[in-house]
Amino acid sequence: MRNSYEDECRKSLAREQAKSLAGTNNWEHVDRERVHQDWDVLYREITTFLDRGSLPGDQQVQELVRRHFDIICRFYTPSKEAYVGMSLFYAEDEAMRAFHDSYHPGMVEFMGAAIKVFAEQGSGFAPSAGAETPA
């Protein structure tokens, strides 16, 4: 059974990405080759921490998650919920799981846990699309 917070995160991701894609002509402003190069470097670094037995909340791991978030922000700045939704997408989409786990068999779970810590502690997120703005 899915929990309601995770369902809201999935919905936030879908809603925010759709809005961003529509507003940017499918992210035409993004240098996708550079993004993939940067993710490759980052995921190789994260693998090193996984092999060392680091924990998702460790400061150095959280610094790497900050870099991951910064790469995501080249497309659009997600809310905390959408960013957590992205970690769920990595775990639930077969192709995304295979891609991430090609770096390390525990990459998806580790990144999911690290992203959740980052979202709980982090700043720099867009307001949640479902959040009400004060009058």
Side-chain angles (χ1 to χ4, degrees):
M1 181 175 192
R2 292 182 167 185
N3 84 32
S4 61
Y5 176 70
E6 288 180 351
D7 285 342
E8 181 53 39
C9 291
R10 288 179 189 93
K11 289 175 188 174
S12 292
L13 176 66
R15 187 172 47 243
E16 292 175 31
Q17 283 188 345
K19 181 179 178 183
S20 177
L21 282 162
T24 62
N25 195 27
N26 294 317
W27 295 325
E28 71 179 355
H29 65 284
V30 176
D31 181 345
R32 292 169 197 249
E33 183 176 333
R34 180 60 192 233
V35 163
H36 288 285
Q37 290 169 354
D38 291 345
W39 267 327
D40 181 63
V41 169
L42 178 63
Y43 290 151
R44 290 177 192 281
E45 288 180 54
I46 292 170
T47 295
T48 302
F49 285 89
L50 269 162
D51 288 340
R52 289 183 193 160
S54 297
L55 299 174
D58 289 350
Q59 181 180 349
Q60 291 177 311
V61 171
Q62 287 300 299
E63 289 169 9
L64 295 172
V65 175
R66 164 53 72 184
R67 285 177 43 206
H68 181 268
F69 180 77
D70 289 345
I71 294 169
I72 297 298
C73 288
R74 294 181 200 172
F75 295 87
Y76 74 104
T77 303
S79 66
K80 290 179 183 186
E81 294 80 9
Y83 194 47
V84 171
M86 186 170 299
S87 73
L88 297 170
F89 177 67
Y90 290 173
E92 295 166 353
D93 181 84
E94 190 175 316
M96 291 301 283
R97 176 177 281 281
F99 169 74
H100 287 86
D101 282 351
S102 71
Y103 286 92
H104 190 285
M107 180 68 80
V108 168
E109 280 73 22
F110 188 78
M111 283 297 295
I115 285 171
K116 287 175 187 169
V117 169
F118 183 82
E120 290 169 4
Q121 299 175 354
S123 61
F125 291 96
S128 174
E132 296 196 24
T133 47

